[in-house]
Amino acid sequence: MRLLLLLFCLYTPFCFGQTKEAPSTNPKIQWAATYLHNGTVNPGFQLNGTWIFKENIKDKKKAGLINRQQKRQFALEGRLGFYWDPLSHISLFNQYLFSYRWVFEKEGSPEKTWTLAAGIGPGYQRNFYEETYEVDANNQVKKLKSASRGFVSSTLDVHFIRARKNKRFSAWILGFNNTFLYHYNATIAPINNFYFGFRFNFKPKT
Amino acid sequence: MKNWKYLVILFFAASFFSCQKNDLSNLKDVLHVRRNNADMPAYIYGNGASKVFLVILHGGPGGSGLEYRVGEYKDDLEERYAVVYWDQRGQGMAQGNYERNDITIAELVEDVEALALTLRHKYGDDIDLFLLGHSWGGTLGSAFLTTDDYQNHFQGWIEVDGAHDFPEVYRQAVKTYQSIGSEQIGLGNDLSYWEEVLKRVAEVDTINRNLEDFSYLNITARSAEEKLTLSGAINANDLSAISNSLINTTFINSKSLANASGTMTNQTLFRNELLDYSATPLLNRISIPSLILWGANDIVVPVALAQQAFDSIGSFEKELVIYPASGHSPMITDAAKFSQDVIRFIEKYK
């Protein structure tokens, strides 16, 4: 399990680093890879795909000097990630978010675009335990080859995106979410995730 | 300079695998016990080559095993024995999918047996198991040892400030507040604090026990023991215990999961069972060697329960030790003496 985890950690950024294709110019689909930090010290990683399916644009003139565009976007986001609780479990999760985004863009300065997004949606989390022994009703003990347990979840998410000029990784992302695990020990239990990373394969329209 | 990336990767890869293999004399194992829809982690540290495993039942309900891996006493114990810090069902990092009616003392008793069976399965039938229960762990340990022939899994029982009889805890807490409060007022210590406490304690309904009064008695006991520490009646905590505790519970456990789950478990047990739970009439069933350790100034579970446990336990091999300058956690406030007493007991009966 640890070997797989290590290979995944090393392989994923390696793959992104080897991409030779030009970044996509389609702003409707965005991809991001972020370092994820769960709880106090649990490290993790997250891949994020976003589809912007509706956009409203409003021009704003500020003091008659600079044109600003205010965009309001509706997006669907899919996330796949993991975190590692060193003494307890490795968790794989996915989340599906419906998000509303406020995009603030200055005319002629796409690098100064920034976005604030808030989302909500369901998900699923599966926790894997390293060494587990099952004791049945007849008091027979059996070592399990792999032990895991699943929880349906829902997530409240807020993140901030800042565009970067002429970079392969076209924006950086900073976010926080609160995920609630249902039927966790007969209750609903929250976990907090903080994440930071980069958007890739996407070039903002100028 | 190009090679620095490879050096960083090599460093992380090396550190990732560096502490995987344990030798038996320096165990650092984490295993999970799965029973009836719960996965309960046991963190095992210390000298497994001794073939002696000390299982610690944590307090609460709602605590966690690693809260007890603190201070000097754990160094002494881990040097000689393997110490098993176990998260009980619905507490610490124990995870599961079950209903609230699965949170009962009887269910947790079965979990303790599952843990004992698992330890023997992994480490061999020739290991010696000792059980130590602190506070709520004393309740669970007493319930376990008085159920069927479960005590045969263990070579000895160590009860530390254990709440084996909640109605008696309730009664004695009122008396203890009154006696210690009056004494502290007589000495001129924290007058306004103790006067306020005595005023509120006088309103406690001692005939019809209720959760509101019990919560007051229980929660206020923590601040009252802090006052006693400042006045010198209780020894101060050693600093290593405080730092260990921070590391173990804040930085390792996922606090939000543990808090939500532990609170639910605590409330469920108190609402359904604990307020009226007493193992005292059954303690005469305990026939294995027993050691009862108590802080004389314990306000959470008053010292009168120590004598009650000693008188009621059926074993012919039993001992009572009172620590005069300790409160609810003598393993922290009288660490050296505490670990000596535990080691002496285990050496005698292993």
Side-chain angles (χ1 to χ4, degrees):
Chain A
M1 180 60 86
R2 287 189 183 189
L3 183 62
L4 283 175
L5 181 63
L6 181 68
L7 288 175
F8 184 66
C9 290
L10 296 176
Y11 183 69
T12 311
F14 174 79
C15 289
F16 296 142
Q18 299 305 309
T19 306
K20 287 185 177 172
E21 292 172 12
S24 164
T25 54
N26 183 359
K28 303 295 181 192
I29 307 278
Q30 303 175 353
W31 300 96
T34 57
Y35 168 77
L36 179 114
H37 201 84
N38 162 266
T40 320
V41 290
N42 304 329
F45 188 80
Q46 177 177 274
L47 290 172
N48 189 348
T50 304
W51 172 46
I52 299 164
F53 64 90
K54 186 171 168 55
E55 187 173 71
N56 297 326
I57 303 175
K58 197 161 90 179
D59 283 326
K60 264 197 167 182
K61 277 204 168 185
K62 193 177 183 182
L65 295 172
I66 305 163
N67 279 334
R68 282 176 179 273
Q69 274 197 340
Q70 268 194 9
K71 291 182 185 173
R72 300 288 182 267
Q73 298 174 334
F74 294 91
L76 290 177
E77 295 186 41
R79 290 175 180 174
L80 181 64
F82 76 91
Y83 69 80
W84 176 41
D85 188 325
L87 277 182
S88 177
H89 61 275
I90 290 170
S91 181
L92 293 180
F93 63 84
N94 57 27
Q95 295 164 352
Y96 306 96
L97 299 180
F98 171 78
S99 61
Y100 186 73
R101 299 153 63 109
W102 294 264
V103 183
F104 301 93
E105 204 170 75
K106 200 182 275 186
E107 195 176 69
S109 307
E111 75 280 4
K112 289 183 178 171
T113 300
W114 60 277
T115 306
L116 182 66
I120 185 169
Y124 180 77
Q125 176 165 324
R126 192 146 197 101
N127 293 348
F128 294 85
Y129 313 110
E130 200 168 350
E131 184 179 358
T132 303
Y133 296 84
E134 184 169 32
V135 182
D136 65 19
N138 300 316
N139 282 346
Q140 296 301 307
V141 184
K142 182 176 68 179
K143 185 174 182 182
L144 301 177
K145 280 185 181 168
S146 67
S148 64
R149 193 170 287 284
F151 303 97
V152 172
S153 67
S154 63
T155 299
L156 293 170
D157 179 272
V158 178
H159 62 270
F160 178 85
I161 304 169
R162 175 74 183 189
R164 302 168 81 222
K165 190 181 179 183
N166 298 328
K167 303 279 187 185
R168 179 183 296 274
F169 298 114
S170 58
W172 57 257
I173 299 172
L174 177 67
F176 174 83
N177 68 47
N178 203 280
T179 297
F180 296 91
L181 303 183
Y182 293 94
H183 205 198
Y184 178 93
N185 287 343
T187 191
I188 299 169
I191 48 174
N192 307 311
N193 297 316
F194 159 84
Y195 56 93
F196 178 78
F198 294 94
R199 195 165 74 192
F200 61 92
N201 202 25
F202 171 70
K203 188 178 175 185
K205 249 184 185 174
T206 56
Chain B
M1 279 301 286
K2 282 181 181 176
N3 289 334
W4 70 270
K5 288 179 187 169
Y6 299 106
L7 286 172
V8 170
I9 290 170
L10 192 67
F11 172 77
F12 279 107
S15 58
F16 204 74
F17 292 105
S18 61
C19 52
Q20 279 210 64
K21 293 291 175 193
N22 290 329
D23 67 287
L24 210 54
S25 61
N26 187 22
L27 274 182
K28 288 173 185 164
D29 278 353
V30 181
L31 58 86
H32 284 75
V33 179
R34 171 170 287 187
R35 193 198 147 266
N36 199 14
N37 299 317
D39 291 310
M40 298 160 280
Y43 312 93
I44 305 163
Y45 293 92
N47 185 357
S50 67
K51 295 273 181 189
V52 175
F53 286 68
L54 176 64
V55 175
I56 293 183
L57 299 178
H58 62 71
S64 71
L66 286 175
E67 283 176 9
Y68 288 79
R69 193 164 188 257
V70 295
E72 293 167 16
Y73 91 101
K74 62 102 175 155
D75 295 333
D76 294 338
L77 295 181
E78 288 181 12
E79 189 184 330
R80 287 173 174 79
Y81 316 118
V83 184
V84 182
Y85 306 92
W86 179 55
D87 287 348
Q88 301 157 21
R89 174 182 295 261
Q91 298 159 79
M93 287 310 296
Q95 305 187 348
N97 310 107
Y98 49 81
E99 304 302 324
R100 289 198 179 198
N101 55 18
D102 287 323
I103 305 167
T104 62
I105 294 174
E107 196 67 43
L108 273 85
V109 161
E110 299 302 322
D111 292 340
V112 178
E113 192 192 29
L115 173 66
L117 291 166
T118 302
L119 292 171
R120 290 198 188 281
H121 180 85
K122 179 171 166 70
Y123 297 105
D125 279 332
D126 58 339
I127 61 170
D128 287 332
L129 290 176
F130 286 81
L131 188 64
L132 184 153
H134 173 243
S135 195
W136 144 255
T139 320
L140 180 57
S142 299
F144 172 80
L145 296 168
T146 55
T147 301
D148 298 336
D149 58 352
Y150 289 179
Q151 62 183 304
N152 294 338
H153 288 291
F154 290 89
Q155 270 63 46
W157 162 233
I158 302 165
E159 182 175 13
V160 185
D161 299 65
H164 55 265
D165 186 332
F166 274 85
E168 191 63 12
V169 170
Y170 194 102
R171 277 189 292 273
Q172 292 298 334
V174 172
K175 288 184 185 172
T176 305
Y177 274 110
Q178 287 166 342
S179 65
I180 290 181
S182 305
E183 187 184 310
Q184 290 297 307
I185 288 169
L187 291 169
N189 295 333
D190 300 298
L191 290 178
S192 59
Y193 173 83
W194 287 109
E195 281 166 1
E196 194 180 317
V197 167
L198 288 184
K199 190 177 163 192
R200 174 64 181 85
V201 167
E203 295 166 6
V204 169
D205 188 342
T206 50
I207 297 162
N208 301 307
R209 287 186 301 279
N210 61 77
L211 268 178
E212 190 188 342
D213 281 346
F214 185 84
S215 296
Y216 175 79
L217 296 170
N218 189 266
I219 292 166
T220 309
R222 312 282 171 181
S223 62
E225 288 199 6
E226 281 171 22
K227 297 286 182 193
L228 293 181
T229 304
L230 291 174
S231 70
I234 293 177
N235 292 336
N237 291 354
D238 71 85
L239 284 177
S240 66
I242 296 167
S243 60
N244 287 158
S245 180
L246 277 173
I247 290 166
N248 289 344
T249 59
T250 307
F251 294 107
I252 293 179
N253 276 341
S254 292
K255 285 298 277 182
S256 60
L257 286 177
N259 285 345
S261 181
T263 302
M264 180 271 304
T265 305
N266 179 298
Q267 290 174 350
T268 306
L269 283 167
F270 266 105
R271 279 186 191 140
N272 297 341
E273 287 184 276
L274 276 188
L275 213 52
D276 298 318
Y277 180 81
S278 171
T280 305
L282 305 174
L283 290 180
N284 61 357
R285 291 184 187 172
I286 299 177
S287 57
I288 59 173
S290 300
L291 175 64
I292 295 139
L293 306 174
W294 230 277
N297 291 311
D298 187 350
I299 305 179
V300 183
V301 184
V303 69
L305 276 91
Q307 192 63 49
Q308 184 194 47
F310 181 76
D311 294 340
S312 306
I313 283 175
S315 172
F316 293 112
E317 296 159 305
K318 56 185 176 183
E319 188 184 349
L320 171 62
V321 178
I322 306 289
Y323 302 99
S326 281
H328 190 53
S329 300
M331 68 285 266
I332 305 301
T333 49
D334 215 337
K337 177 77 168 58
F338 180 91
S339 51
Q340 274 173 24
D341 290 329
V342 172
I343 290 165
R344 181 173 44 77
F345 177 75
I346 292 177
E347 290 300 311
K348 189 173 177 184
Y349 296 108
K350 72 179 182 183

